[in-house]
């Protein structure tokens, strides 16, 4: 396998090799505690062995469901929030043609709902779907999250009034807990095709379960290659935690060494707009896993060169608390050259005959050096190309590194207690039954 690589050459003027390698023994212990399932959040370590536990029968089942959806509808509305949609969206957006939403084709396209509470968004979505053939994949591990529940109620009504109650049942798939939650009860009652989110896999680690795999397969992508990439990365990291070999160990140690030097904001950088939602997935993974007990590296992101014209100034000259983690893609999938122009009024003939990707590569190199000179350390993660296999590797790599990092910080990387605070207030404000005391208190504040 060609493995993704982590290079720390461009952080060494900020942290020494010793400052990084001092994390080695700690990482060895954390790795063992993940294997033995003894660390914090030990009930949510299913993602660790997941790639090699996915059976042929399971993949075939997901592929067949995907084929059936693809043969029936032009759109699949994925309803979910946080870990229940970001993994699928990250992979689908990375792999799809950037303009497929505007192309006439027989491909089934993925739409998203339940990831916000905007009346305008939902109203526009329903209007768009009025004359479209569509199916729904509703995803909620807990089965009780408000945003997807509201969206599902609306879309279910819409679909039922369009195609009839019985036909709608065959166009709805539910992905939820194996026994708990309102969605499970509804799915059983209505006899929807259902997939389970394994008990020991939390939302943000669930992209390699049906939560991610089904929408990705419906979008027409190769889930076997995705799983294979993750499986290879797992096998590669499993028996060797040394930073020379295990990229997740090297990345986790490096970012924690940088944190100890005051670099407490990490920006995940790409030079391909295809990776924009991969960054969103990564932000959630690291934000929810590390940001607790007043600890954690703040995960941010930027899409270059686009954001060099918005965030570039701050990164270059603002407060020196940012380090960058660059996902560098070695080759583009397409080939297009800068054309020669007789008049050369724009002065671009010096680039004539050069690949656009070559120009992009020089922008990447130039940016890294400029930021380095400005005091911004840069960890570089190189992948060969943006495809299913490489994304599978990256996903597993980031998950494993996130677990190591969370443990190094001393937090439980698999819970998200802080997410409840806004829900509690929202329920109190909405006067949800059972929240009467909180309602009385919260309304005193207005
Ligand atoms: O990572 C997580 O656990 C969360 O982001 C959840 O995925 C998110 O809150 C949605 O939860 P649920 O799938 O229970 O609706």
């Amino acid at each position: 396998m060609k493995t993704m690589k982590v290079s720390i050459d461009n952080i060494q003027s900020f942290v020494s090799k010793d400052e990084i390698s001092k994390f080695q023994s700690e990482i060895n212990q954390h790795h063992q505690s993940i294997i033995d399932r003894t660390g914090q959040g030990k009930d949510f370590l299913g993602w660790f062995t997941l790639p090699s536990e996915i059976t042929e029968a399971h993949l075939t089942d997901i592929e067949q469901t995907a084929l059936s959806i693809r043969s029936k509808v032009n759109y699949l509305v994925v309803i979910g929030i946080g870990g229940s949609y970001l993994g699928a969206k990250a992979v689908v957006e990375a792999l799809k043609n950037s303009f497929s939403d505007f192309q006439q084709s027989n491909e089934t396209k993925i739409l998203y709902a339940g990831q916000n509470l905007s009346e305008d968004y939902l109203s526009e979505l329903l209007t768009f779907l009025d004359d479209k053939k569509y199916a729904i994949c509703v995803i909620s591990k807990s089965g009780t999250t408000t945003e997807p529940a509201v969206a599902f109620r609306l879309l279910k009504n819409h679909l039922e009034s369009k195609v009839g109650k019985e036909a709608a049942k065959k166009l709805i798939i539910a992905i939820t807990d194996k026994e708990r939650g309102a969605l499970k009860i509804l799915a059983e009652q209505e006899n929807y095709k259902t997939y389970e989110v394994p008990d020991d896999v939390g939302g943000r680690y669930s992209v390699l379960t049906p939560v991610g795999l089904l929408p990705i397969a419906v979008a027409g992508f190769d889930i076997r290659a995705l799983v294979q990439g993750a499986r290879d990365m797992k096998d590669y990291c499993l028996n060797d935690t040394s930073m020379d070999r295990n990229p997740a160990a090297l990345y986790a140690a490096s970012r924690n060494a940088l944190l100890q030097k005051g670099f407490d904001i990490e920006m995940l950088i790409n030079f391909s707009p295809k990776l924009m939602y991969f960054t969103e997935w990564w932000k959630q993974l690291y934000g929810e896993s590390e940001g607790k007990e007043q600890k954690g590296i703040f995960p941010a992101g930027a899409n270059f060169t686009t954001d060099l014209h918005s965030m570039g100034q701050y990164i270059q000259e603002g407060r020196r608390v940012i380090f960058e983690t660059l996902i560098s893609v070695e080759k583009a999938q397409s080939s297009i050259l800068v054309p020669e122009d007789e008049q050369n009024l724009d002065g671009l003939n010096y680039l004539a005959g050069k690949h656009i990707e070559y120009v992009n590569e020089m922008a990447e190199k130039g940016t890294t050096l400029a930021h380095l000179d400005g005091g911004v350390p840069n960890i570089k993660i190189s992948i060969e190309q943006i495809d299913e296999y490489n994304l599978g590797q990256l996903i597993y790599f980031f998950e494993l590194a996130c677990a190591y990092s969370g443990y190094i910080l001393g937090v439980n990387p698999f819970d998200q207690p802080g997410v409840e605070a806004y829900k509690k207030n929202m329920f109190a404000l909405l006067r949800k039954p059972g929240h009467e005391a909180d309602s009385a208190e919260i309304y005193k504040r207005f």
Side-chain angles (χ1 to χ4, degrees), residues 318-343:
R319 289 175 57 235
R320 301 299 71 195
V321 289
I322 295 171
F323 69 95
E324 293 177 328
T325 295
L326 164 69
I327 301 183
S328 178
V329 183
E330 282 163 19
K331 61 175 194 252
Q333 308 279 29
S334 330
S335 169
I336 175 165
L337 308 177
V338 178
E340 181 84 36
D341 185 89
E342 214 174 282
Q343 287 195 300

Side-chain angles (χ1 to χ4, degrees), residues 81-84 140-142 145 203-204 284 288 416:
I81 194 164
S84 288
S140 177
K141 183 173 182 191
S142 63
T145 309
R204 58 192 176 274
Q284 191 222 357
E288 273 194 358
Q416 53 286 326

Side-chain angles (χ1 to χ4, degrees), residues 221-273:
F221 301 115
D222 182 354
I223 55 171
R224 282 167 197 268
L226 185 79
V227 170
Q228 192 58 49
R231 208 174 268 167
D232 286 351
M233 181 53 65
K234 175 193 146 275
D235 292 345
Y236 192 76
C237 296
L238 184 63
N239 296 317
D240 195 342
T241 49
S242 69
M243 289 183 208
D244 292 343
R245 178 166 162 98
N246 182 320
L250 181 59
Y251 172 56
S254 301
R255 61 198 294 284
N256 277 284
L258 286 164
L259 174 66
Q260 292 189 350
K261 286 284 170 82
F263 294 100
D264 55 15
I265 297 175
E266 178 176 10
M267 294 188 83
L268 192 72
I269 302 299
N270 64 66
F271 279 77
S272 167

Side-chain angles (χ1 to χ4, degrees), residues 138-190:
V138 54
I139 307 173
S140 177
K141 183 173 182 191
S142 63
T144 55
T145 309
T146 308
E147 291 90 335
V150 168
F152 183 50
R153 188 182 270 215
L154 279 166
L155 278 146
K156 178 175 174 287
N157 280 351
H158 186 270
L159 189 60
E160 285 176 353
S161 60
K162 234 171 102 70
V163 302
K165 221 170 174 338
E166 286 313 304
K169 287 182 186 171
K170 301 202 164 46
L171 292 171
I172 297 175
I173 295 157
I175 305 181
T176 187
D177 185 84
K178 70 172 182 298
E179 48 199 21
R180 284 162 301 178
L183 181 57
K184 178 69 191 171
I185 298 167
L186 186 65
E188 265 176 8
Q189 192 182 300
E190 303 279 284

